[in-house]
């Protein structure tokens, strides 16, 4: 049996706003995540009252990170993908001087990871930005936010240049098309032209951040992060094949710009056909030429596209609305399970970009049951991950250059879409529930030992 490469990075992925809690501690400012306490599609609460929400404490990683990182090390993690909360470093986003308490907090996190020889993979913006930049500047719809983000990026590059060598710019950057308030800090009802203009500013910021990282941290690598929304034609009708091609281009466009450094012809046609006129300067075009070093992405499910979508019930999964594939089963949340789709996606991205790939999110959300003996028998999660990792190994054998794999939510966390804890992904169970009750105690699930053995054997135990 072929083993995974020795240098392959194994780990898990978390996001600050879904694990840290401590939403008002250490000088942290209000973020877009804080005002969407019930998830990306929930109601807006600008937190003027004493209302308390699940994310305010989350799983209390802010105070419990030494214990949690020790558990990650016990599993054999060689890397951990995590994010820095922008509003911990610049509470309003427009300050000249950073918040020292926020910088010191991540100093401690990186020191703890180093103690366990776990490499940090750091996302600069993961589903959050300072709320003041939205309220007072109009979010990414305002070109000035590029300057604020670059100031933030330079600050953390300077501070952590010796601790962090792998960086990502924006998490699932294509999700702004579906959740613009979280993605680019503009109202959900914004027009397509307003959304794409804000996205343009974010793409320019991403490219300038790549340039800045290369200048400030020689030898560091920085990538983008796509929501891998793979869609198949619902049938072999040419019209359905074309619908699938166009659906995939809606998210591949972001990778095309971030890797190739310019807007592709198909997107320019889309703008023409839909009367979208973007303000793009010559300086912007120069900036976009600074391409990423690698492409990272999330993958949970695939879907189908049809030239007649109105005839079919669509399922929202990981933000995207897609037509269910009649040949696949689904999770409790209706997300279709398609391990082979991961191999297809890896080959698609490798053929398209010829850049190293990094699977930075993949996992199964399920309602886990903690037994009286403190056990969680999550064989369904083991099966899901086993089947997906088998396909990763197949893609490696296909010749795809894959840097590593970080499962989503190696410890239970608050979900992004609905702000709930009942949808659990972790190898580690956290005793906290949707109503806020629980001790926050950690328990190793059955999948904990399984993933530990996968890492230790370099995949030899996969079936």
């Amino acid at each position: 049996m072929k083993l995974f490469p020795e240098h392959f990075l194994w780990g898990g992925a978390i996001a600050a706003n879904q694990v840290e809690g401590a939403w008002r501690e250490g000088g942290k400012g209000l973020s877009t995540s804080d005002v969407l306490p019930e998830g990306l599609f929930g109601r807006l609460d600008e937190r003027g009252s004493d209302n308390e929400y699940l994310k305010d404490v989350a799983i209390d990683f802010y105070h419990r990170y030494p214990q949690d990182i020790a558990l990650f090390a016990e599993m054999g993690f060689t890397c951990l993908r995590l994010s820095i909360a922008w509003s911990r470093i610049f509470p309003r986003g427009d300050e000249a001087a950073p918040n020292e308490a926020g910088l010191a907090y991540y100093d401690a996190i990186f020191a703890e990871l180093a103690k366990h020889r776990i490499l940090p993979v750091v996302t600069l913006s993961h589903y959050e930005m300072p709320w003041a930049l939205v309220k007072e500047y109009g979010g990414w719809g305002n070109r000035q936010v590029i300057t604020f983000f670059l100031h933030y990026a330079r600050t953390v590059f300077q501070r952590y240049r010796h601790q962090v060598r792998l960086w990502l710019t924006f998490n699932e950057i294509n999700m702004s098309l579906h959740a613009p308030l979280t993605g680019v800090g503009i109202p959900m009802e914004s027009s397509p032209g307003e959304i794409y203009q804000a996205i343009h500013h974010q793409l320019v910021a991403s490219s300038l951040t790549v340039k800045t990282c290369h200048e400030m941290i020689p030898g560091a690598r920085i990538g983008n992060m796509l929501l891998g929304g793979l869609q198949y034609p619902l049938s072999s009708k040419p019209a359905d094949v074309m619908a699938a091609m166009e659906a995939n281009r809606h998210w591949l466009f972001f990778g095309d710009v971030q890797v190739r450094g310019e807007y592709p012809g198909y997107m320019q046609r889309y703008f023409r056909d839909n009367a979208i006129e973007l303000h793009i300067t010559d300086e912007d075009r120069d900036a976009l030429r600074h391409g990423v070093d690698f492409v990272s992405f999330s993958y949970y499910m695939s879907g189908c596209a049809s030239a007649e979508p109105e005839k079919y019930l669509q399922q929202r999964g990981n933000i995207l609305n897609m037509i269910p594939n009649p040949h696949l089963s689904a999770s409790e949340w209706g997300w279709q399970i398609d391990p082979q789709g991961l191999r297809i996606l890896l080959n698609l991205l490798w053929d398209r970009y010829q850049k190293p790939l990094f699977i930075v999110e993949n996992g199964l959300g399920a309602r886990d049951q903690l037994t009286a003996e403190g056990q969680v028998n999550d064989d369904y999660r083991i099966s899901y991950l086993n089947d997906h990792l088998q396909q990763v190994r197949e893609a490696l054998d296909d010749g795809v250059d894959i840097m590593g794999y970080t499962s989503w939510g190696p410890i239970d966390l608050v979900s992004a879409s609905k702000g709930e804890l009942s949808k659990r992904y972790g190898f580690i169970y956290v005793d906290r529930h949707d109503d806020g009750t629980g001790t926050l105690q950690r328990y190793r699930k059955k999948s904990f030992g399984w993933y530990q053995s996968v890492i230790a054997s370099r995949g030899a135990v996969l079936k």
Side-chain angles (χ1 to χ4, degrees):
M1 181 177 290
K2 190 167 184 177
L3 302 180
F4 281 74
E6 282 189 40
H7 62 271
F8 192 84
L9 294 172
W10 292 97
I14 58 177
N17 69 89
Q18 293 172 257
V19 298
E20 285 181 1
W23 73 289
R24 290 188 291 193
E25 292 186 45
K28 181 185 172 297
L30 199 64
S31 74
T32 48
S33 177
D34 295 327
V35 303
L36 291 170
E38 296 170 354
L40 304 182
F41 304 103
R43 62 188 176 85
L44 183 70
D45 182 347
E46 296 193 46
R47 312 308 295 270
S49 67
D50 293 329
N51 291 339
E52 295 182 0
Y53 297 99
L54 207 58
K55 282 197 288 188
D56 296 351
V57 174
I59 62 165
D60 197 32
F61 184 79
Y62 186 85
H63 299 106
R64 298 168 186 257
Y65 67 85
Q67 171 192 356
D68 293 339
I69 290 172
L71 287 167
F72 299 154
E74 185 181 333
M75 272 188 282
F77 281 22
T78 55
C79 72
L80 176 70
R81 179 187 170 221
L82 70 161
S83 68
I84 295 174
W86 184 357
S87 59
R88 285 203 188 279
I89 310 304
F90 291 98
R92 287 177 41 82
D94 62 356
E95 298 93 341
N99 171 35
E100 176 56 33
L103 289 168
Y105 167 66
Y106 293 105
D107 278 334
I109 294 278
F110 298 141
E112 195 70 25
L113 289 170
K115 186 170 80 175
H116 292 282
R117 298 184 179 180
I118 297 174
L119 294 173
V121 181
V122 176
T123 309
L124 290 167
S125 180
H126 191 130
Y127 280 5
E128 63 184 341
M129 67 184 293
W131 183 239
L133 294 183
V134 175
K135 288 288 286 183
E136 298 180 26
Y137 294 90
W140 283 98
N142 187 334
R143 181 175 288 273
Q144 194 174 355
V145 173
I146 298 173
T147 302
F148 295 140
F149 185 80
L150 287 173
H151 182 45
Y152 158 60
R154 288 189 190 98
T155 300
V156 295
F157 288 159
Q158 178 64 30
R159 181 73 168 227
Y160 308 124
R161 64 192 185 281
H162 299 303
Q163 290 88 359
V164 182
R165 311 295 289 181
L166 290 172
W167 299 86
L168 306 177
T169 55
F170 295 94
N171 177 69
E172 293 186 331
I173 188 168
N174 48 309
M175 61 78 64
S176 297
L177 294 174
H178 312 279
L181 181 56
T182 290
V184 282
I186 63 175
M188 290 290 287
E189 63 273 13
S190 298
S191 70
E194 291 168 331
I195 293 171
Y196 275 108
Q197 185 66 61
I199 285 169
H200 171 71
H201 294 153
Q202 201 170 76
L203 287 168
V204 171
S206 178
S207 296
L208 290 173
T209 300
V210 169
K211 176 177 182 287
T212 301
C213 182
H214 291 159
E215 291 170 349
M216 294 185 66
I217 319 178
R221 289 188 288 173
I222 183 165
N224 61 343
M225 200 289 204
L226 303 171
L227 190 167
L230 180 66
Q231 295 196 47
Y232 306 124
L234 186 61
S235 76
S236 57
K237 294 177 184 176
D240 283 356
V241 175
M242 181 64 72
M245 183 182 77
E246 291 176 349
N248 286 319
R249 278 176 165 179
H250 274 298
W251 64 269
L252 286 167
F253 146 69
F254 294 82
D256 289 351
V257 175
Q258 291 179 300
V259 175
R260 296 171 173 169
E262 60 183 6
Y263 279 75
Y266 67 81
M267 210 63 206
Q268 294 178 38
R269 174 176 179 171
Y270 176 82
F271 293 151
R272 288 195 305 271
D273 289 351
N274 290 276
I276 295 172
E277 294 185 15
L278 301 186
H279 177 61
I280 301 176
T281 68
D282 289 340
E283 290 79 9
D284 292 346
R285 293 185 180 90
D286 288 340
L288 291 175
R289 294 193 179 99
H290 297 282
V292 293
D293 300 315
F294 62 92
V295 174
S296 78
F297 65 93
S298 62
Y299 176 77
Y300 295 95
M301 61 179 287
S302 63
C304 292
S306 167
E308 301 174 298
E310 67 280 354
K311 290 186 177 181
Y312 304 95
L313 180 67
Q314 296 191 31
Q315 174 68 44
R316 183 183 292 281
N318 193 30
I319 300 167
L320 301 180
N321 284 318
M322 297 189 283
I323 298 170
N325 189 325
H327 304 289
L328 297 175
S329 62
S331 74
E332 293 175 75
W333 269 264
W335 294 23
Q336 294 202 284
I337 299 171
D338 180 15
Q340 198 164 19
L342 179 53
R343 180 183 177 187
I344 293 168
L345 180 57
L346 283 161
N347 275 275
L348 183 154
L349 293 173
W350 174 246
D351 290 348
R352 193 176 188 100
Y353 299 131
Q354 294 288 294
K355 290 277 187 183
L357 305 178
F358 201 155
I359 306 156
V360 293
E361 287 186 31
N362 174 241
L364 178 69
R367 297 183 190 277
D368 295 334
Q369 297 297 320
L370 184 69
T371 68
E373 295 76 31
Q375 298 176 338
V376 176
N377 296 309
D378 56 341
D379 292 299
Y380 41 85
R381 180 168 293 109
I382 292 171
S383 176
Y384 176 98
L385 294 170
N386 177 87
D387 293 350
H388 281 76
L389 284 168
Q390 284 277 35
Q391 296 299 319
V392 176
R393 183 158 56 192
E394 291 291 339
L396 284 164
D397 216 19
D398 293 335
V400 180
D401 185 352
I402 307 172
M403 295 168 60
Y405 175 91
T406 58
S407 70
W408 175 247
I411 183 169
D412 292 344
L413 42 68
V414 180
S415 74
S417 56
K418 294 187 177 179
E420 58 190 357
L421 258 165
S422 51
K423 186 181 187 181
R424 298 175 181 272
Y425 284 87
F427 305 116
I428 301 162
Y429 183 94
V430 178
D431 182 30
R432 193 159 192 249
H433 310 285
D434 287 348
D435 62 3
T437 61
T439 64
L440 286 167
Q441 187 172 338
R442 275 61 165 154
Y443 298 87
R444 298 168 183 81
K445 302 179 189 179
K446 185 177 181 179
S447 58
F448 183 104
W450 173 82
Y451 196 48
Q452 183 184 53
S453 66
V454 170
I455 296 171
S457 70
R458 287 171 48 201
V461 301
L462 294 172
K463 298 176 181 177

